[in-house]
Amino acid sequence: MSKMRDGGGRYAKDPSLPERDAEFLRLRKRGLAYRAIAAETGYDVKTVHEAVKNAMAAITEEPAQEVRQLELERLDDMWMAVMQVLEAKHFKVSDGRLVRLGDEPLEDDAPVLAAVDRLLRIQERRSKLLGLDSAQRVDMSGGVTYEIVGVDPSLLS
């Protein structure tokens, strides 16, 4: 299939793309993984992922907002599950037996540290979904002023 060109000689966007992308969003909203959407629609996973990502960024219509809200709710559920692991007591076990230090069971920090790592990943995903980590534009216009201290300016010419 050849690409269409507009009146200015540039490639015109395929008019069926918004409809295709909306279908990808609807399927994602139903909870389908990117691979499942690709298998169902006949597109490759990269195309599906890019289309969903771009559509969520570009489309301000209800389907995109609903998908974003669904993803945030899923992240909230994950956060709560991980918090339960983080707040629970964990004890060292070796060869199926509780490890003790004297009479007291020895606490295991590994599940707590793993939960903290998981919470950070959830937080990173939330920030990315909400666009909190997007690049900031910095104005670098202006000049540079040099000041030479301890030198007579008349001697510099």
Side-chain angles (χ1 to χ4, degrees):
M1 179 173 107
S2 63
K3 292 185 178 181
M4 299 178 295
R5 292 187 183 262
D6 64 12
R10 297 175 301 244
Y11 286 111
K13 195 167 191 172
D14 183 344
S16 67
L17 289 181
E19 187 175 303
R20 179 200 74 178
D21 294 354
E23 177 64 14
F24 291 165
L25 282 173
R26 280 190 289 278
L27 293 171
R28 185 73 177 137
K29 180 180 158 192
R30 282 190 11 221
L32 270 67
Y34 293 113
R35 289 184 194 280
I37 296 169
E40 186 169 319
T41 61
Y43 288 91
D44 63 88
V45 176
K46 183 178 178 186
T47 299
V48 171
H49 183 266
E50 285 297 316
V52 169
K53 182 179 85 170
N54 292 339
M56 287 179 67
I59 298 174
T60 57
E61 295 176 35
E62 188 175 324
Q65 185 58 31
E66 288 178 13
V67 170
R68 187 175 293 110
Q69 186 60 39
L70 176 65
E71 293 291 334
L72 289 169
E73 289 170 7
R74 287 177 179 163
L75 289 171
D76 288 342
D77 291 343
M78 290 178 215
W79 183 276
M80 295 306 295
V82 174
M83 285 301 296
Q84 288 178 349
V85 172
L86 183 68
E87 293 169 350
K89 286 256 187 210
H90 303 279
F91 299 103
K92 287 255 189 206
V93 175
S94 179
D95 294 325
R97 294 186 178 172
L98 192 60
V99 176
R100 295 183 176 275
L101 185 62
D103 291 336
E104 295 297 315
L106 185 63
E107 286 195 40
D108 189 358
D109 293 335
V112 172
L113 295 174
V116 169
D117 286 342
R118 191 58 50 107
L119 289 172
L120 286 171
R121 289 178 60 199
I122 293 169
Q123 191 174 11
E124 288 167 359
R125 178 67 182 117
R126 178 183 299 283
S127 293
K128 184 183 268 187
L129 188 63
L130 294 173
L132 299 176
D133 296 334
S134 61
Q136 300 291 321
R137 173 166 255 162
V138 177
D139 183 11
M140 297 296 288
S141 64
V144 176
T145 304
Y146 294 97
E147 179 180 349
I148 301 173
V149 179
V151 175
D152 184 359
S154 64
L155 298 174
L156 294 176
S157 50

